[in-house]
Every structure is written in structure tokens, then in C-alpha cells.
Amino acid sequence: MMPRFNRLRPAREEDGITLVEVLVVMMLSSLLMTIAVTFFTTVSMQTMHAMDTRKSTADASNIMNVVSTSIRAAVRNAVATSPNPEAAIVDGTKTSVTVITYTDAGPSFELPQRLRYSIDASGRMIEETWHSTNVNGYAVFPAMSTAPAVKRVLGNVVVNSSAEPLFRYYNAAGAQLGAGGSLTATERAAVTSVRFYVKVRADKSHEVVVLDNTIGMPNMDLGLTEG
């Protein structure tokens, strides 16, 4: 009896990954990574933009609110030596304004304050306050050369250019005053509204916020004598 031999079968090739499949996987992985990086970058930039805008908006809003409130509450100050009071605008230029006002004068509002708003060398909006004293029923202020009683920073950084005045002054007819750069004594007495235009980029922020407000001075008709 002849021995039986089994037929040898050729070995089956093992299943594997082809070069084309590897390239496809690499392309898809690269595409997904690009999408993920782009999404992350976009979200990060939008978050930073929102944070920067929020910082600048907070500073700009604080500056605008404080300055506007003080100018709106400005008053003419009665003096003992004249039947007419001194002007509410003590000094006015394109970059600073000094007013007599009842803002933050205290709970009883017995005496007005003198406030000056200006920009320092670092671009910060500064508020300086001089208190008045009651002399025979009149509010009397120290000389402007006297150091202010209170000095505080309202916000930073104000980035108005030289062609963008912080303050513009108008009379009751709507005519702009102070063409010479600063108000004369006659013009100071005629101011009834102030336009305050401020551009602010908060510290460590890249976003600039612009606020523009024309502030009426409703107390300007008070304290005047006829004639």
C-alpha cells in the first residue's frame, strides 16, 4: 500500500496595511490636527479679544461716568465781591477741564468742590479735588497752585491723538468756544455744554474703546443777575 501524501497548500499571505492606506490615514490625521489647531487658535484669539475689550470698556466707562457726572453737576460759585458768580468752568483746554461742582460734595451738599480732569505723562486720566471752606456764607477755594486735597486715577491709557481733543466747549447757541486752544474768561462764563471724546486702551490690553458724549450743564442759568 502506497503511502498517502497530503497536498501541500501554498501559505496564505498575512493581511497588512498598504502604503495607500497609510497615506490616507496620515492625510486624515493631518487634516484633523489642522482643524483642531485652527479652532483652538480662533477660540484663544476671540477670548483674548473679548478680555481686552472688556478691560478697555471698563476703564473708558468709569472715566466717562465720573467726568460726565461732574460736568453735569457744575455750578456757578457765588462770590462776596460781585453780584454775579464766578464761572462754573474754572479752566478749559483741549486736554483738561477744571469745574466747580456739587459732585461728591458730601451727604449734605453744603459746599461745592473744585475738580480738575487731565491726562498725566503715563496717559492716565487723573481727577484732582480741592475742597472749599465756608467764609461768611460763601464757598472759598484755595489757589490753583495749592496741592489738591485728593488725587486719584480714573483709568488708563487714554490714547487720543493731538487731532482728537478730549474736551470741546459750546455756548447756548451751539457755537464752539475756545478756538485759541483754551477758554477766555468770557468764554468760560458762556459754556453751557462740554463734548467729551475719549479713546481708552486699558493697561495690558490691545483693544481701544471710543466713547463720545456731549454733556449738558443745566445749572448754568442759576445765580445770574439781570442787566
Side-chain angles (χ1 to χ4, degrees):
M1 187 172 184
M2 295 186 62
R4 299 176 62 183
F5 295 96
N6 290 329
R7 242 165 150 189
L8 294 175
R9 299 181 184 177
R12 296 179 60 186
E13 294 184 1
E14 300 246 350
D15 292 336
I17 299 175
T18 66
L19 179 60
V20 173
E21 291 173 326
V22 172
L23 292 175
V24 169
V25 171
M26 290 178 63
M27 290 177 62
L28 290 175
S29 298
S30 177
L31 179 61
L32 290 174
M33 288 181 64
T34 301
I35 293 173
V37 170
T38 302
F39 176 77
F40 177 78
T41 302
T42 301
V43 171
S44 298
M45 290 180 64
Q46 289 178 344
T47 301
M48 292 178 61
H49 173 78
M51 291 178 62
D52 283 357
T53 301
R54 185 167 61 251
K55 291 177 184 176
S56 295
T57 300
D59 273 13
S61 297
N62 184 60
I63 291 171
M64 178 60 74
N65 289 339
V66 173
V67 174
S68 297
T69 301
S70 296
I71 293 175
R72 189 173 294 111
V75 294
R76 302 179 191 273
N77 186 45
V79 293
T81 57
S82 172
N84 281 322
E86 61 180 318
I89 303 292
V90 178
D91 184 52
T93 70
K94 294 180 180 180
T95 57
S96 71
V97 63
T98 306
V99 297
I100 296 173
T101 177
Y102 271 107
T103 300
D104 297 329
S108 60
F109 291 92
E110 293 179 357
L111 296 172
Q113 310 276 15
R114 185 173 66 203
L115 302 177
R116 177 167 63 195
Y117 297 100
S118 60
I119 308 299
D120 69 6
S122 299
R124 303 175 302 175
M125 175 64 76
I126 303 296
E127 179 190 71
E128 298 170 287
T129 303
W130 288 265
H131 301 307
S132 60
T133 55
N134 189 331
V135 179
N136 298 323
Y138 294 95
V140 177
F141 292 95
M144 286 298 301
S145 58
T146 306
V150 180
K151 184 176 181 179
R152 62 171 176 158
V153 177
L154 299 182
N156 65 109
V157 176
V158 176
V159 294
N160 290 51
S161 69
S162 58
E164 299 168 324
L166 276 169
F167 302 102
R168 296 180 178 92
Y169 308 92
Y170 299 88
N171 62 19
Q176 186 172 346
L177 306 172
S182 61
L183 297 174
T184 65
T186 301
E187 289 174 328
R188 288 191 294 105
V191 174
T192 58
S193 64
V194 178
R195 181 182 174 186
F196 182 37
Y197 176 86
V198 63
K199 296 172 67 175
V200 178
R201 185 187 67 244
D203 191 27
K204 298 181 181 179
S205 170
H206 296 88
E207 301 299 323
V208 175
V209 171
V210 180
L211 295 180
D212 188 358
N213 185 26
T214 298
I215 309 154
M217 301 167 66
N219 299 323
M220 291 306 95
D221 288 336
L222 302 178
L224 293 178
T225 61
E226 297 293 333

